[in-house]
Amino acid sequence: MRRSLRRLRSLLDVRSLAGQVFLLQLGVVVLVVATALVALVVQAGHHSTEDARQRTLTAAQTFAHSPGLLATLESPDPSAVLQPSAEAVRKAAGVDAIIVYQRDGIALTHSDPDQIGKHVIGPYAEAATGKTFTKTFQGTLGLSVISAVPVRDGRGSVVAIVSSVVTVGKVQDRVNQQLPVLFGVAIGSVALAAGGSALVSRRLRRQTHGLGPAEMTRMYEHHDAVLHAVREGVLIVGADGRLLLANDETRRLLDLPADAEHRPVSTLGLSAELAELLTSDLPATDEVHLAGDRLLAVNKRFAEPEGPASRVVTLRDTTELQSLAGRAETARERLQLLYDAGVRIGTTLDVTRTARELAEVAVPHFADVVSVELLEPVLHGEEPSGASTEMRRTAVVGLERDDLLYPAGTLIRFVSSTPTAAGAADGRAVLVEDLSVSQGWQAQNPERARRILEHGVHSLVVVPLQARGVVLGTAHYWRSEASAPFDEEDVAFAEELTARAAVCIDNARRYTREHTTAVALQRSLLPSGVPEQSALKVAYRYLPARAGVGGDWFDVIPLSGARVALVVGDVVGHGVHAAATMGRLRTAVHNFSVLDIPPEELLGHMDELVAQIDIDESDDGEGLGITGATCLYAVYDPASGQLTVATAGHPGPAVVHPDGRVEFLQLPVSPPLGLGASMPVESAELAVSEGSRLVLYTDGLIEDRGRDLDDGLVALRDALTGPDRSPEATCAAVIGAMMPDQHRDDIALLVARTHRLTPSRIAEWTVARDPAAVSPVRADCVRRIRAWGLEQIDFAAELVLSELITNAVTYGTDPITVRLLRDRALICEVSDGSSTSPRLRRATVTDEGGRGLFLVAQFAERWGTRYTPTGKVIWAELSLHGGAGPSADGLADFLFDEVEPLGGPGGEQVGTGR
C-alpha cells in the first residue's frame, strides 16, 4: 500500500516530466468527456421531438392503410371494429392516441371511449383535403406532436382521417433514463484515461532509466566527446532519409556542408550509389564506395532491429584500395556496356544497320574507333560458303578524318599476313598491342598504315563475327592517343561483345534472305502490267508493308464482249506464306474468269476453294491455312455502261463521277473467303457514266495510322474530291495524301476511268428461228463490217457469223440476236434462249456436219460461250488485220484433209455447228 502511494505521488509530482505529462493528459480527457456529455444532452432533446414526429406519422399511416379499413368504415357500426384495433396499434406504437375521424369531425375511435361519436375539435380540416401533415403544439400534458393521414376510397376521395398523438415528454423520459448510464460511461472513460496516462508516464520514466537531469547532462557530454574524438566517421540517418547526426570525421571524409544535419541525404552532393546505400533498408558490411578521391569502407546497422528505424553508419578511409576500386569500376562499366549492347544492337532486321549499332555501342566506352567488315554473301542474305579474306567494310564509327581507314562500302581483300586474315581463318580474336611494330598489319597498305600511326592509333583487336560456327565477317577495335593499349582482359570482353552482335547480324541476314525470297515470289505473282483493252484506262499502285511483303493483290482481266474484270484481294499476314497464298488465289480468279461466269458465282467458287484449301492444310498438320482472305470482283461492260460488283468481306469500291462527286458503293455484305459456309454471294449493278473513275483498294489504305474505318473513308473521299484527274494522277494524289510513313499493311490501289462504245461501233439484229432468216442477217452483217472499213476480214467474219447463226437457229431457242462490236477486234456474238453448250471436235471425212465450231476456232483469235440469265451467248473475236484461218481458195482442202477426231467417234454434242 505504501509503495503504491509513493508511485502515485511520483506521478503527480509536477516537477517531474512524467507528472507533467500525466496531469496534461488527464485534463484533456476530462474536457473531452464534458463536451461529449453536453452535446449528447442537446442532441437527445432534438432527437426526442424528431422521434415523436416519426412515431406519430408511422402509426397514423399504418392504421390508415391497413387492409379492411374502407370496408369497416362502410359497416353499420365501424367504431365497434376500429376501437379495439386502434388501441392495439396505440400500445404497439407507443403513442398517446389513435383517433379516426369522419370528414365532418365525428370521432369513430378515441383514447377516451366517451368521446366516440362526438364532434371532436382537432386539426383535421387540412387532412380532409387529402394532405398528410405533422404538427407540434403545446397541450395540457406539455409539448405534443400530432400527425394526420387521409383515408381514400377506390375513387381517390377522402372518406376519413386517422390521427396519432404523442407527448414529447414521454419520449424525453426514455432518454433521461439513459443519462445515468451515460454518466457512468463518462466516469469510466476518465478512469481509463487516467490509467493510460499513468502507464505512459511510467513508460517515459523507464526509457530515461530513472535518470535525473544532471545525470542525463553528464551522459550527453561523455557521448559527444567520444563521438567527435574517434578517427572513424560516424553518422545517423533517420527513417525518412535525413541526416540526423554526423561527427567531425564524417564531415571530413564526405566533405559535408556546415548545415548538413536534418537535410535529405540525396541533397548532400554524395554519389548516387553511396546515397542509395545510406537510405536503403539493407545492412552493409565493409562495402567499398568512392567519395571524391577517397575509397571508403562502409558499415551500416539499424538502431532497432524491428520496424523503420534510424541507420547507424561508420566510414573507414581505405584509399589504399584505389587500384582495386578501379578494377571494380571497370568491371561494372563492362557489364553495363554488355547490357547496353543487348538493348541497342539488333533493333532492326537490317544487316548494315546492325553492324553500325555494334560500332556505336563500343565507341567511345571501349574503343576509340570501330570498323565492321562483312562477307559479301552476308549483305545479300546468303550464308557464306567458307572463310574468305575479301570483305566489304560495312560500318566505321569514331573517325575524325575520312582518309585514315577504308571508307564504308569499300570491298577489301586482306593479305594473308594481316591480323584480319589470321582471325578469319582461325575463328579467334587477334591482339596487336603495338601497331608500330606489327609488320603483318602494315603490309596491307604501308602508306595508309603510316597515316594511321601518325594520327595516334596504336593498338588493335580483331575479332571474327561468328554465328553457328560460320564466320560472317570481322570487327576491328582501335585505340588511339591517351587510351591504354588493349590487353588480354580487353580481348575477352571484345569477344563477348562481338559474339552478341554476330547473333543479331545472322538473324538480320536470315531475315534479309527470307524477305528477298518473299519479294521475288510476290513480284512474280503480281501482274507485271495492264493488259490492252479499250473499256478502261487503268493505273495502279502496290506498296508492300514495311514489316514485309503481304498478300494484297489486284488484277485487270479482259473478258468477252469487250468487258473487263477488275479484281482486288487481300490475304491476312505477311511473308512467304501470305505471298504464296495470294498467288494461288489470283491464279484461281484467272481460271474462274475464263468461264465468264457472273461475279457472285465466281466468288462462290472462290469461297469453296479456300475452304477446301484450309481443310487440306489442316489435315497436313502444318497449321498454315488461309486464316483470312477477302476479294472484290467487278465487271464493266463498255457497251451498256453497266458495272456489276460482288465482294467477299472486302471494302466496296468508290466511284468518282464526272462532276467530281465521290460515291462509296453499298454492296450486299458477304463474309470473307472460306467463311461463307455455302451461303450465296450477292452482287450489285449500277450504270456508270462515261469518264467516271472506279477506285478499288485494300484496307491497308484506309485503316492504317491507328484510324478507324470511317476516318479512313473520309480521308479517301477528301483525296478523291477535286478537279478531274487522270487515273495516274489520281493514284499519285491518293497515295500522297493517305500513305503513312511506316504503313503496317500492304496497300493496293487500282483506278480505272470508264469508256463507252459509241452506238456507231455497235450493231445488233434479231433473228427469226427460221433457216431462211440466216442469209439476210448475214448480208446485213457483212455490209456493216464493210462500212466500218474492215473489208480485209469480211470473208472470215461472214463464215463465222454464218456458222454461229445457223447453229442458234438449228439448235437454240428464241429469242435469237446477233451483235457486232468494233473494238480492238471485231467481236461477233450470237445469243439464244437455250443453255446447251457446244463443244469443239474434229469431223471425219465421211461426216456431213460437225465442222462449224472447228471453222470458228480456226478463223477467230478467241471464241467461247457466256451464259446469261435468259440463255447463252456464243462469241468470237477476229483480228482487225486479218490473217487468221485459211484463205477462201484453200478452205475446201482444209475441211476435207482432217484426220480422225481427237476424242474418237462420238465427239459431237448437241449444239455444235454444221
Side-chain angles (χ1 to χ4, degrees):
M1 184 65 180
R2 292 179 180 177
R3 182 178 301 176
S4 299
L5 290 175
R6 284 197 300 270
R7 289 180 179 175
L8 181 59
R9 283 197 298 270
S10 64
L11 288 176
L12 297 176
D13 188 4
V14 297
R15 293 175 297 178
S16 66
L17 180 61
Q20 293 175 357
V21 171
F22 174 76
L23 294 177
L24 177 61
Q25 290 179 334
L26 186 60
V28 171
V29 170
V30 172
L31 178 61
V32 171
V33 170
T35 304
L37 286 174
V38 173
L40 184 61
V41 171
V42 174
Q43 188 178 17
H46 173 73
H47 284 177
S48 298
T49 303
E50 189 64 25
D51 182 67
R53 290 174 177 271
Q54 293 295 332
R55 189 176 299 177
T56 57
L57 182 61
T58 302
Q61 287 180 334
T62 301
F63 198 88
H65 298 145
S66 60
L69 178 60
L70 291 175
T72 303
L73 291 174
E74 295 174 359
S75 65
D77 188 6
S79 297
V81 179
L82 295 178
Q83 179 66 17
S85 301
E87 284 298 306
V89 172
R90 181 187 66 80
K91 294 177 181 180
V95 297
D96 294 340
I98 298 292
I99 305 173
V100 180
Y101 301 90
Q102 292 181 347
R103 291 197 60 182
D104 55 1
I106 302 300
L108 300 178
T109 68
H110 202 281
S111 58
D112 184 4
D114 295 335
Q115 300 297 322
I116 297 176
K118 298 180 179 180
H119 187 280
V120 179
I121 298 175
Y124 63 87
E126 186 175 353
T129 63
K131 297 183 180 179
T132 300
F133 70 92
T134 300
K135 292 184 178 180
T136 303
F137 65 97
Q138 191 68 33
T140 58
L141 299 178
L143 185 64
S144 300
V145 177
I146 182 170
S147 295
V149 178
V151 179
R152 300 176 184 271
D153 59 8
R155 297 186 301 275
S157 301
V158 176
V159 298
I161 298 98
V162 178
S163 66
S164 175
V165 184
V166 70
T167 303
V168 177
K170 291 186 177 181
V171 181
Q172 183 66 38
D173 290 340
R174 297 187 181 183
V175 176
N176 294 338
Q177 294 173 5
Q178 300 176 3
L179 288 179
V181 179
L182 296 177
F183 280 109
V185 172
I187 294 172
S189 300
V190 173
L192 182 61
S197 300
L199 292 176
V200 171
S201 300
R202 184 178 179 184
R203 179 68 176 173
L204 182 61
R205 290 179 58 84
R206 181 179 298 175
Q207 289 184 345
T208 59
H209 302 285
L211 297 177
E215 290 85 357
M216 294 184 66
T217 301
R218 185 165 55 252
M219 184 185 67
Y220 174 78
E221 292 174 350
H222 294 168
H223 163 77
D224 188 72
V226 173
L227 183 64
H228 295 286
V230 296
R231 300 303 300 171
E232 189 172 27
V234 179
L235 65 152
I236 299 177
V237 180
D240 59 353
R242 294 179 178 272
L243 180 64
L244 301 180
L245 182 144
N247 66 351
D248 296 340
E249 184 67 8
T250 298
R251 293 178 180 275
R252 185 185 68 83
L253 294 176
L254 299 181
D255 194 20
L256 297 178
D259 60 344
E261 292 183 353
H262 305 295
R263 288 174 52 184
V265 173
S266 58
T267 64
L268 299 179
L270 306 179
S271 64
E273 293 81 2
L274 181 57
E276 182 179 0
L277 174 63
L278 296 181
T279 56
S280 68
D281 294 331
L282 298 176
T285 301
D286 289 335
E287 289 195 15
V288 179
H289 287 268
L290 280 173
D293 57 350
R294 298 183 179 90
L295 196 65
L296 303 180
V298 182
N299 291 272
K300 185 179 71 172
R301 297 294 183 270
F302 295 95
E304 295 182 8
E306 59 277 348
S310 301
R311 298 132 172 103
V312 181
V313 183
T314 61
L315 306 174
R316 187 171 64 255
D317 190 358
T318 56
T319 308
E320 64 274 7
L321 300 177
Q322 184 69 41
S323 59
L324 176 61
R327 290 197 294 271
E329 180 65 17
T330 300
R332 187 192 65 80
E333 291 178 355
R334 295 288 172 81
L335 289 176
Q336 181 64 38
L337 191 58
L338 288 177
Y339 172 78
D340 292 342
V343 174
R344 296 172 55 187
I345 299 177
T347 58
T348 65
L349 291 173
D350 182 79
V351 174
T352 303
R353 179 59 189 165
T354 304
R356 183 167 184 83
E357 288 171 345
L358 166 61
E360 291 174 345
V361 166
V363 176
H365 300 291
F366 177 68
D368 297 312
V369 179
V370 175
S371 64
V372 180
E373 297 76 28
L374 297 177
L375 295 172
E376 195 71 16
V378 175
L379 294 172
H380 301 291
E382 303 172 3
E383 186 166 336
S385 57
S388 173
T389 60
E390 186 174 88
M391 306 179 191
R392 188 174 296 278
R393 178 148 291 168
T394 309
V396 180
V397 175
L399 275 183
E400 297 179 358
R401 294 172 50 185
D402 296 337
D403 60 340
L404 290 180
L405 300 179
Y406 292 109
T410 304
L411 184 63
I412 309 171
R413 180 181 295 276
F414 293 97
V415 298
S416 58
S417 62
T418 59
T420 304
D426 298 339
R428 293 181 296 177
V430 178
L431 169 63
V432 182
E433 295 186 19
D434 189 355
L435 290 174
S436 62
V437 298
S438 176
Q439 299 299 323
W441 170 74
Q442 297 180 22
Q444 176 70 33
N445 190 322
E447 179 59 28
R448 187 178 295 273
R450 181 185 61 79
R451 293 200 304 269
I452 292 175
L453 293 173
E454 289 178 352
H455 192 68
V457 179
H458 56 78
S459 187
L460 170 66
V461 174
V462 179
V463 185
L465 285 156
Q466 297 184 88
R468 299 177 292 106
V470 177
V471 175
L472 307 176
T474 58
H476 289 68
Y477 302 93
W478 314 75
R479 282 186 179 174
S480 62
E481 297 177 349
S483 300
F486 289 110
D487 55 23
E488 293 298 334
E489 292 185 1
D490 295 326
V491 173
F493 174 78
E495 289 178 329
E496 176 68 20
L497 178 62
T498 307
R500 297 191 179 197
V503 173
C504 297
I505 291 176
D506 188 55
N507 290 339
R509 176 195 64 80
R510 296 165 69 181
Y511 170 78
T512 301
R513 179 184 59 189
E514 180 180 346
H515 182 72
T516 302
T517 302
V519 169
L521 174 62
Q522 187 185 47
R523 288 178 177 174
S524 66
L525 296 176
L526 286 173
S528 57
V530 177
E532 293 184 358
Q533 41 79 35
S534 302
L536 299 170
K537 183 178 182 181
V538 179
Y540 61 88
R541 293 289 188 277
Y542 181 82
L543 303 174
R546 300 289 182 179
V549 296
D552 291 13
W553 90 91
F554 64 91
D555 227 327
V556 179
I557 306 173
L559 302 176
S560 64
R563 299 171 305 128
V564 179
L566 300 177
V567 189
V568 174
D570 186 3
V571 176
V572 174
H574 297 89
V576 175
H577 181 259
T581 302
M582 175 271 291
R584 297 169 71 179
L585 298 186
R586 178 172 177 256
T587 301
V589 171
H590 263 277
N591 292 338
F592 286 132
S593 67
V594 173
L595 301 177
D596 229 337
I597 55 181
E600 65 274 13
E601 186 176 342
L602 183 143
L603 291 183
H605 289 310
M606 290 292 296
D607 180 71
E608 296 174 357
L609 173 66
V610 172
Q612 186 60 45
I613 291 175
D614 283 338
I615 294 174
D616 295 342
E617 296 193 356
S618 298
D619 294 340
D620 293 340
E622 296 293 336
L624 295 176
I626 303 176
T627 57
T630 63
C631 184
L632 183 143
Y633 190 85
V635 176
Y636 174 68
D637 186 352
S640 62
Q642 288 293 116
L643 178 68
T644 306
V645 187
T647 178
H650 200 87
V655 179
V656 184
H657 296 279
D659 59 0
R661 179 170 51 91
V662 179
E663 177 186 2
F664 290 99
L665 300 185
Q666 300 298 321
L667 304 179
V669 178
S670 297
L673 298 177
L675 304 178
S678 301
M679 294 178 61
V681 180
E682 298 182 31
S683 62
E685 293 187 4
L686 72 156
V688 180
S689 302
E690 168 82 17
S692 298
R693 283 169 288 166
L694 308 178
V695 182
L696 285 69
Y697 50 88
T698 56
D699 57 2
L701 181 68
I702 58 175
E703 292 185 351
D704 217 326
R705 288 190 288 188
R707 59 191 174 197
D708 57 21
L709 179 61
D710 292 337
D711 293 340
L713 292 176
V714 171
L716 179 59
R717 181 187 298 273
D718 295 340
L720 293 174
T721 303
D724 188 23
R725 291 183 289 238
S726 66
E728 187 67 30
T730 303
C731 285
V734 170
I735 295 299
M738 301 192 60
M739 188 188 74
D741 295 333
Q742 298 289 334
H743 51 281
R744 296 170 296 176
D745 197 4
D746 292 9
I747 295 176
L749 175 65
L750 189 65
V751 179
R753 184 191 294 276
T754 60
H755 294 288
R756 295 283 296 271
L757 288 177
T758 60
S760 62
R761 299 164 68 92
I762 303 175
E764 189 170 359
W765 298 267
T766 299
V767 183
R769 195 164 179 267
D770 182 359
V774 175
S775 179
V777 172
R778 181 175 59 205
D780 290 341
C781 291
V782 171
R783 282 193 293 271
R784 178 56 63 91
I785 292 172
R786 291 175 179 173
W788 283 339
L790 303 178
E791 294 85 353
Q792 66 274 20
I793 62 170
D794 58 354
F795 172 76
E798 183 179 5
L799 181 61
V800 168
L801 286 169
S802 177
E803 294 298 332
L804 295 181
I805 297 173
T806 302
N807 225 19
V809 170
T810 304
Y811 302 106
T813 61
D814 290 330
I816 301 174
T817 60
V818 177
R819 188 173 71 164
L820 297 180
L821 302 176
R822 188 186 188 285
D823 194 39
R824 291 179 177 269
L826 178 63
I827 302 172
C828 305
E829 295 181 346
V830 178
S831 62
D832 65 80
S834 69
S835 58
T836 56
S837 177
R839 290 189 305 172
L840 179 66
R841 75 179 184 93
R842 288 184 178 178
T844 62
V845 176
T846 58
D847 287 342
E848 296 183 359
R851 297 179 178 83
L853 286 182
F854 191 80
L855 284 174
V856 172
Q858 295 300 316
F859 281 96
E861 288 188 334
R862 295 194 309 158
W863 75 279
T865 303
R866 179 173 76 250
Y867 292 95
T868 65
T870 59
K872 68 174 182 297
V873 176
I874 303 179
W875 56 271
E877 291 185 4
L878 284 76
S879 172
L880 300 182
H881 307 291
S887 62
D889 297 336
L891 180 59
D893 296 336
F894 173 79
L895 291 175
F896 293 101
D897 287 346
E898 296 302 322
V899 296
E900 192 71 9
L902 295 177
E908 180 83 19
Q909 180 180 341
V910 174
T912 55
R914 294 182 295 116

